[in-house]
Amino acid sequence: MSGPRIQTIFYSAAALIALLGLAEATYLTVMFLSGEIAVCGGSPDCYQVLGSSYAKLGPVPVSGLGALAYFSAFTFATFAGFGYARARKFFTWTVIAMFCMTLWLLFVQAFRLHAFCRYCLFSAALIFLLTGLVVARPAAETEKN
Amino acid sequence: MRRYLPFIIVIFVALLAVGGGAYFYRIKRSANATPKISKTETEKSGESVHVLGPADAAVTLEEFGDFQCPPCGKLSEPINQLQKQYNLRVIYREFPLPNHAHAQEAAFAAEAAAQQGRFWQMHDLLYREQAVWSNSTDARALFNAYAGMLQLDLDRFRKDMDSSEVQRQVDLDQHRGAAIGVKNTPTIFLNNEALQPNQINPTELPGVIEAAMKKAKPSS
């Protein structure tokens, strides 16, 4: 498979993952703004996490920042897929920032709130996938040379 | 064309996210767009009564309800709509049944919210989320979260839920119900007349209220 084709597949996969994350983060943001908290079956964990003080930075919901981050990741992945070299760098840094934020949020859930929200875990899984793609990317790009 | 394609894709997704989010937000807002003025009156006995609607309404609907009872949950929204449509006076009384594990705690949560002037908001939330907290192993945590959603003072809410005043309020409603023959929920009285069980459902109730309105105001 040719290098540019691998890159296109790679960044398309990244864009799709970011799109999933964007949909989820948008859903959570709307729920927050309309005064509702997403339900996790019969478990109170979502309420404990999404209703906690860690779920917002000032008046801004963390899910809103997440939506912005996912949209940025999607944008950079799309442009990178179309061969914009600078977009690759931005994509990498965006994913690294999201990864760090995810680690912090997982720490908060595990050690401060003692509750895990399924939506947050799903988002963490998406970000780990994106990080995995970023880590795997040099190998894919080396293959081209 | 290929040069512009990433811009088109990104703009399309941005519009989709913003438009979809705005549409979803509108749906959510219209579903919850009934900020009620919570009114709690105090009777001579010192008992608090949760009332919606004017004191001189032609028809007064008094409900004895249990927040964990599914038929009560199904009636909650229709009663809200009928209250607005006919300008009814609606009175809600606590009647938690012992066979419902979290009913009494839910009644305490509603009464604790009433202490902060948000009885009806908590009433609606408890019925709306009935399926969630009814099956929960930790309903109390959910009630605390609901209090947070209603922007109540959480420390006060937690204290009030365990307070003797809130428990006394629930007891008074239950004693009142028992004294007038209430055994099940929902039990509804229209202008102090008990409705038959087959009339207490979202299909029959509007007709019954319509008839009561005509009876109360024969000329209109």
Side-chain angles (χ1 to χ4, degrees), chain A residues 8 19 22 26-37 39-45 47-48 51 56 71 74-76 78-84, chain B residues 2-7 9-11 13-14 17-18 20-22 24-26 28-29 31-32 128-129 131-133 135-138 141-142 145-146 149:
Chain A
T8 306
L19 209 55
L22 175 63
T26 305
Y27 169 74
L28 290 180
T29 306
V30 170
M31 294 291 274
F32 179 92
L33 293 175
S34 57
E36 283 190 43
I37 295 177
V39 172
C40 299
S43 154
D45 290 358
Y47 290 87
Q48 282 174 331
K56 49 191 176 182
F71 180 71
F74 171 79
T75 303
F76 297 138
T78 305
F79 277 93
F82 278 87
Y84 288 78
Chain B
R2 192 182 147 79
R3 194 178 156 193
Y4 297 110
L5 198 55
F7 291 94
I9 293 172
V10 166
I11 290 169
V13 167
V18 173
F24 185 45
Y25 177 75
R26 274 187 65 183
K28 285 275 160 200
R29 290 300 289 184
N32 303 331
R128 197 179 76 206
E129 301 290 320
V132 177
W133 59 263
N135 297 317
S136 172
T137 49
D138 191 1
L142 289 173
Y146 298 158
M149 284 167 70

Side-chain angles (χ1 to χ4, degrees), chain B residues 107-173:
Chain B
F108 293 161
E111 293 303 326
Q115 300 286 319
Q116 297 184 49
R118 297 282 177 94
F119 171 81
W120 290 103
Q121 287 87 341
M122 184 60 91
H123 163 280
D124 289 355
L125 195 51
L126 287 170
Y127 277 133
R128 197 179 76 206
E129 301 290 320
Q130 188 189 62
V132 177
W133 59 263
S134 291
N135 297 317
S136 172
T137 49
D138 191 1
R140 184 75 179 242
L142 289 173
F143 299 148
N144 289 338
Y146 298 158
M149 284 167 70
L150 297 177
Q151 296 176 341
L152 302 181
D153 176 338
L154 275 180
D155 286 338
R156 187 179 162 197
F157 176 81
R158 287 193 189 105
K159 274 182 203 154
D160 285 343
M161 264 195 78
D162 296 322
S163 74
S164 55
E165 193 183 337
V166 155
Q167 290 170 12
R168 182 179 157 271
Q169 178 60 41
V170 175
D171 286 346
L172 282 171
D173 275 359

Side-chain angles (χ1 to χ4, degrees), chain B residues 28-66:
Chain B
K28 285 275 160 200
R29 290 300 289 184
S30 60
N32 303 331
T34 49
K36 289 178 177 173
I37 307 296
S38 191
K39 197 175 166 194
T40 299
E41 296 176 355
T42 307
E43 292 190 332
K44 283 176 192 165
S45 59
E47 180 187 356
S48 297
V49 187
H50 309 298
V51 181
L52 271 182
D56 59 349
V59 173
T60 295
L61 182 154
E62 183 174 13
E63 178 188 3
F64 285 82
D66 167 339

